[in-house]
Amino acid sequence: MITFIGSILFLIVGYVIYSKVVELIFGIDDNQETPAYSKQDGLDFVPMKWWKGSLIQLLNIAGTGPIFGAILGALYGPVAFIWIVVGCIFAGAVHDYFSGMMSLRHGGAQFPTLVGKYLGKYAKFLITIVSICLMILVAAAFTAAPAQLVSSITPLSFTACLLIVFVYLLLSAILPVDKIIGKLYPFFGAILIFMAVSIGIGMFFFETPIPNLTLSNLHPGDMPIWPLLMVTISCGAISGFHSTQSPIIARTLKKESEGRKVFYGAMVVEGVIALIWAAAGMTFFGNTGGLQEALAVGGPGGVVNEISISTLGTFGGILAILGIIVLPITTGDTALRSSRMMLADLITQITKKEFNKKGTVALLIIPVALPVLFLSMIDYNFLWRYVGWTNQVVATVMLWTGAMYLVKNYKFHWICSIPALFMTAVVCSYVFYAPEGFNMDYGISMILGSILWVVVAIWFVSRLIKQKKVKDNEVPVTRAS
């Protein structure tokens, strides 16, 4: 119990103190016109109130991520609390802040554009492909999952439910941001928070107390903590998907000082939600073994439903079902919207011309909508396996992009480069060990991952040396007497 309460307090203190440190290092200027005004188009660039943008950002980045991922991560025991707190404050929230504020500073640019500017054209080409693939996988997974649930509780077939969900995703991705998203999503975001707070309070009345911190691995399947925990719990700690969502809200901010509340703040709230559901998973079923048995029967959705009904009664069950249906849909549609915006940026850069966005939105959505519809018809679990590693690769690249932004502007880059080095170690070792990767022996995977990490570290040091030479060669500007 003490560990759980302390973790919540750490997240709050982290926001109050470290978010201001990050903001100070980045450097904000409220006198600078934001893209919401300079590029206002009634579609994507639309000024909105910060609190509304914050709730939309929370829903965009969260969905069922901090619920399902945290429950699966709870199998490792209280060590998951450490990853959520440290990852959220020093990696995830920094990642979200820089992805949003750098987009704002560069005219509402999408994530691949930022990568190209600070990591080079080859990195941009690669990350554009990876990012769009991630958007397609996320949209497909979050179309199939709610469609399956709706078909199981209604007379409608899975195909009919799939088409209904898919049509909604298309409309939400095409219409102006202040229509469906701006009007409905703050309400859905409030539901997400209400569910978490209600479960958080209810946990104090569970028969089994919330376990305190232990560094032991309590996973019943004896799965290694490193690097699996850091990929299992992404939303709530750090998730690359967020860097594709932050530009949506960056195009709506009225001033730069709102970025800390919207981007860093939403991530901390997501961290709190993840802590609550991780604790609920560890506690409700008695131990991690009981949780694993529950997951084997009903999956994460069944676990959420059982905890919610037992804690909050019929009303809780309704909220759980609503959440499991609505939350993934609200993530899927913004994934489609992000991919559409990425294609728009790419076409603009290739043609060197601005085009009538309202007249071409429907056409831009087709190249990503068709594979989403196709993939949504295959096994959901198969899709989700590939989302995890791709997601954390994107997060790692965004942190390196933020680090190089700070390096080139002669600012304190370690707030981005240290978590970037950490996440590089995670994804390098994971790709060799994971079943969806090379599925190699654990020891060999760690060795190969370490070698790859050293290569990346050497690259970064070389960039630091190169930038120092540039600074040393700059001609100082002298003031006239």
Side-chain angles (χ1 to χ4, degrees):
M1 184 69 73
I2 295 176
T3 300
F4 172 71
I5 295 174
S7 297
I8 298 288
L9 292 176
F10 269 120
L11 283 178
I12 295 172
V13 172
Y15 171 74
V16 172
I17 298 177
Y18 197 65
S19 67
K20 292 183 179 179
V21 173
V22 172
E23 182 185 63
L24 181 64
I25 292 173
F26 182 85
I28 60 171
D29 181 7
D30 278 345
N31 294 319
Q32 185 169 314
E33 189 178 40
T34 63
Y37 293 108
S38 62
K39 292 187 175 184
Q40 189 168 355
D41 62 0
L43 178 63
D44 296 319
F45 295 90
V46 180
M48 288 199 305
K49 295 179 180 179
W50 75 264
W51 63 266
K52 183 178 288 189
S54 185
L55 283 172
I56 295 172
Q57 172 74 1
L58 174 62
L59 200 62
N60 287 356
I61 66 176
T64 54
I67 301 176
F68 286 7
I71 287 173
L72 292 173
L75 289 170
Y76 292 91
V79 69
F81 293 152
I82 300 177
W83 168 235
I84 292 172
V85 173
V86 176
C88 181
I89 294 174
F90 298 105
V94 173
H95 166 281
D96 289 16
Y97 182 82
F98 272 80
S99 62
M101 293 303 294
M102 287 177 64
S103 173
L104 186 148
R105 280 281 175 89
H106 293 81
Q110 287 293 294
F111 169 58
T113 300
L114 299 175
V115 172
K117 184 173 179 63
Y118 293 98
L119 298 183
K121 61 181 181 180
Y122 297 113
K124 177 185 177 181
F125 175 76
L126 178 61
I127 208 62
T128 298
I129 296 175
V130 172
S131 297
I132 293 179
C133 287
L134 175 61
M135 296 302 95
I136 291 173
L137 286 170
V138 169
F142 286 160
T143 301
Q148 287 174 350
L149 180 58
V150 173
S151 66
S152 68
I153 61 177
T154 67
L156 296 175
S157 67
F158 170 71
T159 302
C161 294
L162 188 70
L163 291 175
I164 292 172
V165 173
F166 185 71
V167 169
Y168 170 80
L169 260 61
L170 287 178
L171 289 175
S172 183
I174 292 173
L175 291 174
V177 70
D178 60 340
K179 301 304 179 185
I180 294 179
I181 293 177
K183 286 183 169 58
L184 293 180
Y185 286 22
F187 171 71
F188 292 145
I191 288 178
L192 179 66
I193 295 173
F194 178 78
M195 281 180 63
V197 172
S198 299
I199 296 299
I201 294 173
M203 281 191 301
F204 288 90
F205 301 96
F206 287 174
E207 293 182 4
T208 304
I210 302 173
N212 285 319
L213 181 62
T214 172
L215 297 180
S216 302
N217 182 0
L218 302 183
H219 198 294
D222 198 30
M223 302 296 288
I225 292 175
W226 175 272
L228 299 188
L229 177 61
M230 292 74 192
V231 176
T232 303
I233 301 181
S234 53
C235 290
I238 178 170
S239 168
F241 179 71
H242 299 187
S243 65
T244 67
Q245 301 303 292
S246 295
I248 296 176
I249 304 303
R251 298 181 177 194
T252 69
L253 295 188
K254 295 181 178 181
K255 53 185 180 179
E256 290 192 354
S257 58
E258 293 175 346
R260 184 174 70 91
K261 294 177 286 189
V262 171
F263 300 120
Y264 200 106
M267 183 60 208
V268 169
V269 172
E270 187 186 66
V272 172
I273 293 171
L275 276 175
I276 289 172
W277 281 103
M282 297 176 203
T283 307
F284 184 82
F285 299 97
N287 51 46
T288 57
L291 173 59
Q292 187 179 50
E293 292 175 3
L295 286 169
V297 174
V303 168
V304 171
N305 194 36
E306 186 173 351
I307 292 176
S308 299
I309 292 176
S310 299
T311 306
L312 305 175
T314 303
F315 178 66
I318 294 173
L319 277 181
I321 293 174
L322 181 64
I324 296 170
I325 294 174
V326 172
L327 296 180
I329 293 176
T330 58
T331 301
D333 63 6
T334 51
L336 270 182
R337 191 178 192 92
S338 295
S339 59
R340 187 258 295 168
M341 292 163 63
M342 288 179 191
L343 286 176
D345 278 7
L346 184 61
I347 292 173
T348 298
Q349 291 166 22
I350 292 174
T351 61
K352 306 298 182 183
K353 294 179 181 180
E354 290 285 343
F355 56 90
N356 185 345
K357 292 183 178 180
K358 288 186 177 180
T360 56
V361 162
L363 294 176
L364 288 176
I365 209 71
I366 292 174
V368 291
L370 291 179
V372 165
L373 182 60
F374 171 75
L375 289 172
S376 61
M377 298 180 185
I378 67 177
D379 181 41
Y380 169 80
N381 292 322
F382 174 81
L383 289 174
W384 197 245
R385 279 172 51 190
Y386 289 91
V387 170
W389 181 74
T390 307
N391 185 43
Q392 298 305 61
V393 168
V394 171
T396 305
V397 173
M398 181 62 236
L399 286 171
W400 282 123
T401 303
M404 289 311 303
Y405 169 83
L406 294 174
V407 168
K408 291 187 176 182
N409 285 280
Y410 308 117
K411 296 184 177 183
F412 188 76
H413 65 80
W414 296 110
I415 60 170
C416 282
S417 55
I418 289 179
L421 285 166
F422 178 85
M423 288 306 299
T424 299
V426 169
V427 297
C428 286
S429 53
Y430 185 86
V431 70
F432 291 110
Y433 178 67
E436 61 270 28
F438 293 103
N439 198 21
M440 301 175 70
D441 173 77
Y442 184 77
I444 295 175
S445 299
M446 297 306 104
I447 293 173
L448 294 176
S450 299
I451 293 172
L452 193 54
W453 180 88
V454 170
V455 171
V456 175
I458 291 173
W459 162 82
F460 181 60
V461 171
S462 68
R463 295 295 294 265
L464 290 178
I465 295 173
K466 181 179 179 180
Q467 194 62 30
K468 185 177 185 304
K469 290 180 180 178
V470 171
K471 182 179 181 180
D472 292 341
N473 292 331
E474 287 181 350
V475 179
V477 178
T478 58
R479 301 176 63 180
S481 57

